[in-house]
Amino acid sequence: MTAVMALVLGAGLAVLAPGTAGAASDGHAISPSTRFFVPPPAKGSVQQIAQLAKKGALKDAALLARMEAQSSAVWLTGGTPAEVGKQVRTTLAEAALQRAEPVFVVYDIPGRDCSEYSAGGATDQAAYESWVDSVAAAVGNAHAVLLVEPDSLGNEPSDCHLPASTYPYTDAERSAEVAYAAQTLEKAPNAAVYLDGTNPHWQAVPNITARLLAAGVQGTQGFFLNVSNFRTDAESQDYGTWISDCIAMVTDPSHFAHGHPEYCASQYYPATVDDFSTWGLTTDWYNQNLNGAVPTTHFVVDTSRNGKGANTMAAYGAAPYDQSAATVATLMQGNWCNPTGAGLGVRPTADTGVPLLDANLWVKTPGQSDGQCDALGGVRAWDYSAYSRPDWPNDESGRAEFDPLWGQVDPAAGAWFPAQALQLARLATPKLG
């Protein structure tokens, strides 16, 4: 065993010690005492820890080692049905050695991510169903959490605004694909299945409620929030509670909102989405209008990178950057993509103390890039005449692929991002220790 691997494993001894595992999930529900699986260190992390240790940056090396010793999700992102089945079985065997429960992200839907940074997915619905069948067969009777297709309901094909000639997918197909995955995976007797509930700064409650119902959320444990995003726990808990409230109202035949999710209040009204102090208005609306409807749809939240909340990008409008209001607005719209100033959030746990919140999870693997966040992809803008550095590109083509927030070309989606990984560990809230 190398010294670096010993450092990583040593940081996780409390997690891996035998004989102290929490109880497994009871059927489709997650027990509050569930211990979640700690995967092997992400590719690139051990190398960075080794480099930091070699330079004498032992504190930073230890921080990253502690980060890697936390439980996080295992992403199933493609391959043949046989290959993904093998990946699931291997993970389940590793989890059994830890007496822990794995969290899987099922991520192979046709037309994935609007063909942007995380483009890919199965070629068509039939291929996707065959792939899902293999995942379900591999899970079998094992205990597992399954998060079905992040962004699939937030970005339906019509939201992508792409020509049918290059993006031949429909919203009806998307709903059917998610519903098939939900129904198939839910047949595993000890699987807790959750669908895409987006995040509090995206789809309004009525919109995502309608999409979740169309995709069969009532046949699952519930939905997940904030995957690969940075919204605060308080925002996610309010948003998740409202969605569950709305589902209860529109599926109750005796309720005035039955069949009408558009009647539901949201983070946009009566609340104001960017003013959290107003969110109590929406909570009050639901308290006044549930009229006997009982919320039973549960949710989980990704807390892997939300310790500091979302970056407003306002700092880039001030010295020394001096970017215009329009530039800052563009940066804000792209603040989901490798933002600076982010920190790890609450550690994964199923003991949340919130009745409908089943677990806080690290779904996005901390330290992995969201993609090559740049002007070419529309998530960055920058006035280089107001601020630049000698080592930055000075030609249009170079600047199109450059990320001025990090001063580099970002790694591809899913690749290790050393600068971001170290910042996440340093700014962890609560601190790593």
Side-chain angles (χ1 to χ4, degrees), residues 1 55 111 119 130 132 154 238 303-304 399:
M1 180 187 299
K55 293 191 301 183
S130 178
V132 167
D238 278 357
T303 62
S304 60
R399 290 173 174 175

Side-chain angles (χ1 to χ4, degrees), residues 76-101:
L76 310 174
T77 60
T80 66
E83 289 168 341
V84 74
K86 180 180 179 181
Q87 182 184 2
V88 170
R89 288 189 294 272
T90 298
T91 298
L92 288 169
E94 293 170 344
L97 293 175
Q98 294 181 16
R99 301 181 184 178
E101 183 161 334

Side-chain angles (χ1 to χ4, degrees), residues 200-400:
H201 209 265
W202 193 357
Q203 293 292 344
V205 172
N207 296 348
I208 195 59
T209 295
R211 295 180 183 194
L212 283 166
L213 288 171
V217 70
Q218 288 184 287
T220 70
Q221 181 70 2
F223 53 92
F224 56 82
L225 301 175
N226 204 45
V227 166
S228 300
N229 215 279
F230 304 86
R231 310 316 302 188
T232 66
D233 294 338
E235 290 174 302
S236 291
Q237 289 175 22
D238 278 357
Y239 181 60
T241 301
W242 299 338
I243 293 171
S244 190
D245 289 346
C246 186
I247 290 172
M249 291 167 61
V250 303
T251 57
D252 182 343
S254 66
H255 199 280
F256 72 84
H258 180 242
H260 291 278
E262 69 274 14
Y263 291 177
C264 292
S266 79
Q267 70 274 41
Y268 296 99
Y269 186 81
T272 301
V273 68
D274 288 321
D275 183 358
F276 187 68
S277 70
T278 69
W279 284 33
L281 297 173
T282 295
T283 296
D284 290 343
W285 186 92
Y286 281 104
N287 289 339
Q288 295 165 14
N289 289 281
L290 275 172
N291 294 342
V294 180
T296 59
T297 308
H298 289 227
F299 59 97
V300 296
V301 175
D302 183 0
T303 62
S304 60
R305 304 187 299 176
N306 72 342
K308 294 294 184 182
N311 191 335
T312 66
M313 302 293 172
Y316 295 105
Y321 308 106
D322 298 321
Q323 298 298 300
S324 69
T327 296
V328 171
T330 300
L331 295 175
M332 173 61 184
Q333 289 298 312
N335 73 345
W336 58 269
C337 197
N338 293 341
T340 52
L344 301 169
V346 171
R347 310 297 179 265
T349 179
D351 188 10
T352 69
V354 179
L356 292 175
L357 176 59
D358 287 349
N360 292 310
L361 303 170
W362 282 10
V363 181
K364 171 70 176 181
T365 305
Q368 289 185 352
S369 176
D370 295 312
Q372 292 174 293
C373 308
D374 52 24
L376 192 64
V379 295
R380 294 287 189 267
W382 199 259
D383 179 359
Y384 288 86
S385 66
Y387 183 85
S388 188
R389 294 181 181 177
D391 58 334
W392 286 12
N394 55 19
D395 62 291
E396 185 175 345
S397 61
R399 290 173 174 175

Side-chain angles (χ1 to χ4, degrees), residues 73-155:
V74 174
W75 287 65
L76 310 174
T77 60
T80 66
E83 289 168 341
V84 74
K86 180 180 179 181
Q87 182 184 2
V88 170
R89 288 189 294 272
T90 298
T91 298
L92 288 169
E94 293 170 344
L97 293 175
Q98 294 181 16
R99 301 181 184 178
E101 183 161 334
V103 177
F104 292 107
V105 180
V106 178
Y107 195 54
D108 194 41
I109 204 143
R112 189 174 70 197
D113 195 36
C114 292
S115 296
E116 293 186 344
Y117 293 124
S118 296
T123 55
D124 55 35
Q125 188 170 344
Y128 180 66
E129 291 179 356
S130 178
W131 186 86
V132 167
D133 289 344
S134 187
V135 173
V139 171
N141 294 328
H143 292 274
V145 177
L146 295 153
L147 311 182
V148 177
E149 303 296 344
D151 296 348
S152 61
L153 301 182
N155 265 336

Side-chain angles (χ1 to χ4, degrees), residues 24-73:
S25 300
D26 179 14
H28 297 292
I30 301 176
S31 166
S33 57
T34 297
R35 167 187 292 163
F36 295 112
F37 171 60
V38 180
K43 185 177 181 180
S45 63
V46 173
Q47 292 89 328
Q48 184 178 6
I49 294 169
Q51 291 166 1
L52 289 168
K54 186 176 181 180
K55 293 191 301 183
L58 299 182
K59 182 178 179 180
D60 284 339
L63 282 174
L64 286 182
R66 292 182 190 124
M67 181 176 82
E68 290 304 288
Q70 300 296 322
S71 62
S72 61

